Amino acid sequence: MVKIAILGYGIVGSGIMQVLEQNRVHIEKKAGCAVEVKRVLDKRDLSKELPSIYTNDFETILNDDEIQIVAEVMGGLYPAYDFVKQALLRGKHVCTSNKELVIKHGAELLSIAEEKDLNFMFEASVGGGIPVVRPLNTALTTDEIVAISGILNGTSNYVLTQMSNLGKSYDEALAEAQHLGYAEKDPTADVGGFDACRKLAILMSLATGKQVDFEEILTEGIQNINQIDFAFARAFGFTIKHMIDGRITPSGVSARAVPMLVHQSSPIAAVTGVFNGVMVQAKATDSVMFYGRGAGKFPTAGAVVTDIVDIAKHLHRHIQFSWSSEKIDILPFDSYKTRKLVRLRENKTENFHMAIPAYPGQIAWLTQSETDKSTKDSLKGLNVERILRVYEPMETVYDQNN
Amino acid sequence: MVKIAILGYGIVGSGIMQVLEQNRVHIEKKAGCAVEVKRVLDKRDLSKELPSIYTNDFETILNDDEIQIVAEVMGGLYPAYDFVKQALLRGKHVCTSNKELVIKHGAELLSIAEEKDLNFMFEASVGGGIPVVRPLNTALTTDEIVAISGILNGTSNYVLTQMSNLGKSYDEALAEAQHLGYAEKDPTADVGGFDACRKLAILMSLATGKQVDFEEILTEGIQNINQIDFAFARAFGFTIKHMIDGRITPSGVSARAVPMLVHQSSPIAAVTGVFNGVMVQAKATDSVMFYGRGAGKFPTAGAVVTDIVDIAKHLHRHIQFSWSSEKIDILPFDSYKTRKLVRLRENKTENFHMAIPAYPGQIAWLTQSETDKSTKDSLKGLNVERILRVYEPMETVYDQNN
C-alpha cells in the first residue's frame, strides 16, 4: 500500500481521484501495491465533500510519514513551488501537471530528487494525455535526440484549423474556440505562443540536460495570420501551423515557437483541431511522432496517475534524466537558415521570377535558405506585408556567424 | 552490473551490441547499473569475430547464473521458442523482437514470467522503433482501450504511397520496393497482410488480456489494388491504406487487417512511405497516435535495448500486463457494419443516384453502414468489380446477429 496526497482539488485533482477509483484493480497490479489517497489539500473548504481526507494545512501532509507521494495539481508558482520543494526535502516523491513550476524550477527540483533518490515526474505538464516526457526520457537512454518539433498548443491549432478548413477569420475562429471552452477569455498565453514556448523549453531542457530559458526562445503568436496568408500557403503546397521547433546541432541549439508553413504532406499538417502532435527525431530511431489530446480533465489526470504508478514502482530509485541548472545558450533569433515565404503588398512581378500572385494585388515567393538577417537586408525598400518561415523536417542548418 | 546474452548475431543482434556500446553512459545511468554482453550465440562460427563471448552452445548460457537477461533476436519459432522457455524456467528475463514467437507463445511465456516474477518483453516485435507495446501497457493501467488501428506494415504502405502519389502500378511500385530493400523477394507476408495481421493479434491480445488467434483475423492483401481504386477513393475524399483495425465493444471484439479507404483528413492518411502509425483509442485519453519507422536495424535494436534497460531496472518484479491463454472469440468476418465503396464494371447510373463515375465506363458509390453479408445480398446480379471498406475512426458498430 502506498499513500498519496493530492494538492489542489480542481478539474485535474478530482479527475485523479476518479481515475484512481475506476482503475483500482489495474493500478494495484501494475504498481505492485494499492494506491490510497490519504489527504487532499485545497484552499476551498471541502470538509463536507471529502470529510475524512480533506485538509487546508500543508503541514499535515508534510509531517505524515505514511504519505510517500505528493501529486501537485494546483497550478501557479506560489505556493506550489514551496510545497513541492518541501515535500522532496522531506523524502516524498512528487508528480505535477504544473508547467510553470517545471520550467522555472525543474532543474533544481530534479536535482533534489536525484540527490535523495526520489522521483520528480511531470508527464502531464507537456501535452496533457500524450506521452511525451516519458518516451523522451526512454529515447535518451539509447539514442541521440537531434530535433523536437510539432504542435503543442490545442487552442492555436483549433483556431488555425478553422481558418484553414472553413475559411473563417481569426476573430470568428477565436470566438468559437472561446465559446467551446477551448480558449480562455484572455487567450494571450495560447494564441501568443507563450504556452507552446514554455512546453518547448521543458522538452529542450530534458533533451540537452541543461537549462533552456524560455525567455530566449523566439516566440510569435498567430494573431496576425489571415486568409491571405492561407491563400499563399496553399499556392505553395503548405498549410500554416503554430509550431515548436527545437534543434540540437553541432553548431548549437536553436528553439522557436512561431507560426510556420508546414507542407501538406507532413504528418504534422494532419494534426488538426485541438489535437497536439510532437515529432521527436533521434539519430538511430529517426522520426517518431506522438499525437493526441494535449489537454482535458481525463487525459491530464490519466497522465498524472501514470506518474503516480511509475513512482510507486520505483520508491527507492531515481529513474529519470535530470537537467543541470547550467544554462545552455540558444542561437540568436536571426541565425535561422530556413526557407521563408515573403509576401509583398504590391504586385511587382518584374523583379521576382518565382513569385506567385495568389491574391489580388499581392505576390509572394519562397526564398532559398537565408538567415533572418540576410533576408531582412535583401528586402530593404520593398513593401513587405508578411514573412513566414517554412518548417523543414530534417535539413535545417544554422550558422552562428551570419 | 547486469550480464546479458544475445541469441542471434544478424542485423538486429549486431545492432544491439552497437547501441549498448555507443550509449554506455546513459544506459548505466538509466538502468542503475552497467550492462555487459557476456555471451553471443549464433549458428555461424563467430569465434574469430567475437573471440571472448561467442558460443554456439545454448547450455553455456543457460547454465551461467551470472546471465540474468537473454535477448532473443534469432527469429523463427525453432529453436527460439525452446531457448526462451528454458531461459525463463531457469529464472532469466527475456526480451525479443520475434513476432512469430510472441503471437504463438506470448500468453504461455508471459505466464511463466509472471509466475517466476520475471519479465518477458517484446517492444521490438511490433512496430520496430515506434514505442507501441510499452505505451499500451501503460495506458492499460489507467484507461480502457476501445480501439487499435492504423498502419503496421511498411512494405505495403510504401507500395500504396507510390501508387497514390506517383501513379505507379502495383507491379512497378513493388519492384521498386524490392530494389530498395523494403520488400522481400517473396513479398507475400507483407503485401498479403499476414505480417500486419500477426502484429494486430499481439496488440489485441495485450489489450483484451486474452488470446487473439491470428487465424481468426480477417486478412486481405493489397495485391489487387489498382489505379482505378485510387481514382474512386480520391473522388470520395479518401486514400487507400492497408489497415489494422481492432475494436473492443460491448457486443464483442473484432479485428481485421485489410486495405481500407482512409479519409484524407485523417492523421493515418499522412502516414506515408515505409512509416508506420498506430492509433490507440481509450475511453479517458481519447485518441493517441504513435508514428515512426516500423523496421530497420537501429530502430529495432534500440527497441530491444529499451527492453533490456527496463528489465535491468526491474530484476525482481514482473511489471507487465499478461494475457491468459484463454481464447477470446472474434466476431465473424461478415458482421462488420461499416460504409463501403462498391465499384461496378459498368455505368448503370440509373439505379444509383449517389454513384460517381470517376473512371470511364465504371461507377462506384458509398453504401451506408451495412454488414458485409447484407451488402453482398443487395449486390446480387450486379457486375461488382471491387468492394473496399471505409475506415471509421470512432463510430463503427458491430452486430453479432446480422
Side-chain angles (χ1 to χ4, degrees):
Chain A
M1 166 85 76
V2 62
K3 298 195 178 182
I4 74 168
I6 299 172
L7 310 185
Y9 200 68
I11 290 173
V12 178
S14 59
I16 293 173
M17 291 279 274
Q18 285 170 265
V19 171
L20 284 173
E21 185 54 42
Q22 280 159 18
N23 300 282
R24 186 165 290 280
V25 178
H26 280 158
I27 288 169
E28 182 166 346
K29 188 172 174 190
K30 196 77 197 294
C33 60
V35 174
E36 188 194 297
V37 179
K38 190 171 178 190
R39 289 278 171 236
V40 170
L41 178 137
D42 203 284
K43 56 189 177 199
R44 289 169 302 156
D45 182 2
L46 300 172
S47 50
K48 274 178 199 148
E49 218 174 324
L50 303 166
S52 56
I53 57 176
Y54 170 72
T55 181
N56 60 8
D57 176 16
F58 183 62
E59 294 290 322
T60 320
I61 292 168
L62 200 61
N63 293 327
D64 187 338
D65 288 340
E66 273 193 359
I67 294 173
Q68 293 184 277
I69 303 172
V70 172
E72 186 277 306
V73 289
M74 320 165 74
L77 277 181
Y78 304 100
Y81 169 58
D82 286 332
F83 287 0
V84 166
K85 191 172 173 180
Q86 285 185 63
L88 287 169
L89 289 171
R90 286 289 275 269
K92 296 180 197 308
H93 302 267
V94 175
C95 53
T96 182
S97 61
N98 189 334
K99 184 177 62 232
E100 291 296 328
L101 175 68
V102 176
I103 186 57
K104 198 88 183 173
H105 301 288
E108 183 199 4
L109 297 169
L110 269 171
S111 88
I112 298 175
E114 189 171 10
E115 208 172 283
K116 295 180 107 27
D117 252 337
L118 296 165
N119 290 292
F120 171 63
M121 294 193 170
F122 41 86
E123 180 65 71
S125 69
V126 183
I130 320 172
V132 180
V133 174
R134 186 163 278 102
L136 194 62
N137 212 359
T138 303
L140 284 166
T141 316
T142 58
D143 214 337
E144 199 182 323
I145 310 278
V146 295
I148 297 172
S149 46
I151 294 166
L152 273 180
N153 185 272
T155 309
S156 291
N157 203 43
Y158 181 84
V159 169
L160 290 177
T161 303
Q162 294 295 98
M163 290 175 72
S164 169
N165 293 359
L166 304 174
K168 295 192 176 168
S169 71
Y170 171 79
D171 290 333
E172 283 176 300
L174 177 61
E176 191 186 300
Q178 286 171 318
H179 177 72
L180 292 168
Y182 297 153
E184 312 263 350
K185 212 169 158 186
D186 175 359
T188 319
D190 292 317
V191 296
F194 305 108
D195 171 76
C197 155
R198 280 161 177 74
K199 290 169 176 167
L200 176 60
I202 294 175
L203 296 180
M204 289 300 284
S205 296
L206 275 172
T208 60
K210 294 182 180 170
Q211 180 72 19
V212 172
D213 278 350
F214 71 86
E215 293 91 343
E216 289 188 18
I217 294 177
L218 174 62
T219 304
E220 293 168 8
I222 60 165
Q223 300 99 325
N224 296 324
I225 303 294
N226 59 31
Q227 287 298 340
I228 307 177
D229 295 314
F230 275 105
F232 279 104
R234 264 190 291 271
F236 287 98
F238 294 93
T239 186
I240 303 171
K241 294 287 185 186
H242 191 274
M243 295 284 291
I244 55 134
D245 188 19
R247 311 277 168 145
I248 303 170
T249 71
S251 45
V253 169
S254 73
R256 49 191 167 176
V258 298
M260 295 184 97
L261 297 182
V262 176
H263 199 268
Q264 281 160 359
S265 68
S266 166
I268 291 174
V271 178
T272 56
V274 294
F275 279 83
N276 286 193
V278 185
M279 181 85 80
V280 176
Q281 287 168 256
K283 272 207 176 149
T285 317
D286 204 332
S287 301
V288 177
M289 190 169 93
F290 306 97
Y291 162 97
R293 283 193 188 275
K297 175 175 182 165
F298 287 110
T300 308
V304 176
V305 172
T306 302
D307 280 350
I308 292 173
V309 171
D310 210 4
I311 292 175
K313 287 194 300 185
H314 303 98
L315 287 173
H316 307 293
R317 190 186 303 167
H318 178 80
I319 56 161
Q320 304 156 272
F321 279 95
S322 305
W323 77 69
S324 80
S325 52
E326 181 194 341
K327 249 188 64 174
I328 193 162
D329 282 334
I330 299 287
L331 293 174
F333 285 180
D334 60 6
S335 65
Y336 294 116
K337 274 176 109 171
T338 55
R339 285 181 299 162
K340 295 173 196 74
L341 179 142
V342 178
R343 177 152 76 77
L344 297 193
R345 261 191 297 275
E346 55 221 352
N347 198 336
K348 282 195 184 179
T349 33
E350 67 274 18
N351 291 327
F352 307 100
H353 301 300
M354 299 295 291
I356 291 187
Y359 203 85
Q362 303 209 356
I363 59 158
W365 73 100
L366 287 180
T367 62
Q368 293 304 312
S369 302
E370 291 176 58
T371 62
D372 282 9
K373 194 168 169 299
S374 63
T375 303
K376 241 184 236 167
D377 290 347
S378 72
L379 295 175
K380 261 177 199 156
L382 291 176
N383 204 350
V384 175
E385 175 74 23
R386 180 94 72 240
I387 300 179
L388 276 169
R389 294 176 192 84
V390 173
Y391 167 66
E392 313 274 7
M394 300 296 286
E395 316 89 335
T396 312
V397 285
Y398 304 93
D399 191 343
Q400 260 176 310
N401 304 319
N402 267 331
Chain B
M1 167 83 78
V2 62
K3 299 196 178 181
I4 74 167
I6 299 173
L7 310 185
Y9 200 68
I11 290 174
V12 178
S14 59
I16 293 173
M17 291 281 273
Q18 284 171 266
V19 171
L20 284 172
E21 185 54 40
Q22 280 159 19
N23 299 283
R24 186 166 289 281
V25 178
H26 280 158
I27 287 169
E28 182 165 347
K29 188 172 173 190
K30 195 75 196 295
C33 59
V35 174
E36 187 194 298
V37 179
K38 191 170 177 189
R39 289 276 171 239
V40 170
L41 177 138
D42 203 283
K43 55 188 178 202
R44 290 168 302 157
D45 182 4
L46 301 172
S47 50
K48 275 179 199 147
E49 217 174 326
L50 304 165
S52 57
I53 58 177
Y54 169 74
T55 180
N56 61 7
D57 177 15
F58 182 63
E59 293 289 322
T60 320
I61 292 168
L62 200 62
N63 293 327
D64 186 338
D65 287 340
E66 273 193 358
I67 293 173
Q68 292 184 278
I69 304 173
V70 171
E72 185 276 306
V73 290
M74 319 166 73
L77 276 181
Y78 303 100
Y81 169 59
D82 286 331
F83 286 0
V84 166
K85 189 172 173 180
Q86 285 185 64
L88 286 169
L89 289 171
R90 286 289 275 268
K92 297 181 197 306
H93 303 266
V94 175
C95 54
T96 181
S97 60
N98 188 333
K99 185 178 61 232
E100 290 298 328
L101 175 68
V102 175
I103 187 55
K104 198 88 182 172
H105 301 289
E108 182 199 6
L109 297 170
L110 268 170
S111 88
I112 298 175
E114 188 171 10
E115 208 172 281
K116 295 179 106 29
D117 252 338
L118 297 165
N119 290 292
F120 170 64
M121 294 192 170
F122 42 85
E123 181 64 71
S125 69
V126 183
I130 319 173
V132 181
V133 174
R134 187 163 276 102
L136 194 62
N137 213 357
T138 304
L140 284 167
T141 317
T142 59
D143 214 337
E144 200 182 322
I145 309 278
V146 295
I148 296 172
S149 44
I151 295 165
L152 274 180
N153 185 273
T155 309
S156 291
N157 203 45
Y158 181 85
V159 169
L160 290 177
T161 303
Q162 293 295 98
M163 291 175 71
S164 170
N165 293 358
L166 303 175
K168 295 192 178 170
S169 72
Y170 171 80
D171 290 332
E172 283 176 301
L174 178 61
E176 190 186 300
Q178 286 171 319
H179 177 71
L180 292 168
Y182 297 153
E184 312 264 350
K185 212 169 158 187
D186 175 359
T188 319
D190 292 316
V191 297
F194 304 108
D195 171 76
C197 155
R198 279 160 178 75
K199 290 169 176 168
L200 176 60
I202 294 175
L203 296 180
M204 290 300 284
S205 295
L206 275 172
T208 60
K210 294 183 180 168
Q211 180 73 19
V212 172
D213 278 350
F214 71 86
E215 293 92 343
E216 290 190 17
I217 294 177
L218 174 62
T219 303
E220 293 168 8
I222 60 166
Q223 300 98 324
N224 295 324
I225 303 294
N226 59 31
Q227 286 299 339
I228 308 177
D229 295 313
F230 275 104
F232 279 104
R234 264 190 292 271
F236 288 98
F238 295 93
T239 187
I240 303 171
K241 294 287 184 188
H242 191 272
M243 294 285 291
I244 55 133
D245 188 20
R247 312 275 169 145
I248 303 170
T249 71
S251 45
V253 169
S254 73
R256 49 191 166 175
V258 297
M260 295 183 98
L261 297 183
V262 176
H263 198 268
Q264 281 160 0
S265 67
S266 165
I268 292 173
V271 177
T272 55
V274 293
F275 279 84
N276 287 194
V278 185
M279 180 85 80
V280 176
Q281 287 168 255
K283 272 208 175 150
T285 316
D286 202 333
S287 301
V288 177
M289 191 169 93
F290 305 98
Y291 163 98
R293 282 193 188 275
K297 175 175 183 165
F298 287 110
T300 306
V304 176
V305 173
T306 302
D307 281 349
I308 292 173
V309 171
D310 210 5
I311 292 175
K313 287 195 299 183
H314 303 98
L315 286 173
H316 307 293
R317 190 185 303 166
H318 178 79
I319 55 161
Q320 305 156 272
F321 279 96
S322 304
W323 79 69
S324 79
S325 53
E326 183 193 340
K327 249 190 63 176
I328 194 162
D329 281 334
I330 299 286
L331 293 174
F333 286 180
D334 60 5
S335 66
Y336 295 116
K337 273 177 110 170
T338 55
R339 286 183 298 162
K340 295 173 196 72
L341 179 141
V342 177
R343 177 153 76 78
L344 297 194
R345 261 190 297 274
E346 52 221 353
N347 197 336
K348 283 195 183 178
T349 33
E350 67 275 18
N351 291 328
F352 307 100
H353 301 301
M354 300 293 294
I356 292 187
Y359 203 85
Q362 302 209 357
I363 60 157
W365 72 99
L366 287 180
T367 63
Q368 293 305 311
S369 302
E370 290 176 61
T371 62
D372 281 9
K373 193 167 170 300
S374 63
T375 302
K376 241 185 237 166
D377 289 346
S378 72
L379 295 175
K380 262 178 198 155
L382 291 176
N383 205 349
V384 175
E385 175 74 25
R386 181 94 74 239
I387 300 178
L388 275 169
R389 296 175 192 84
V390 173
Y391 167 66
E392 314 274 6
M394 301 295 286
E395 315 88 336
T396 313
V397 285
Y398 304 93
D399 191 342
Q400 260 177 307
N401 304 318
N402 267 331

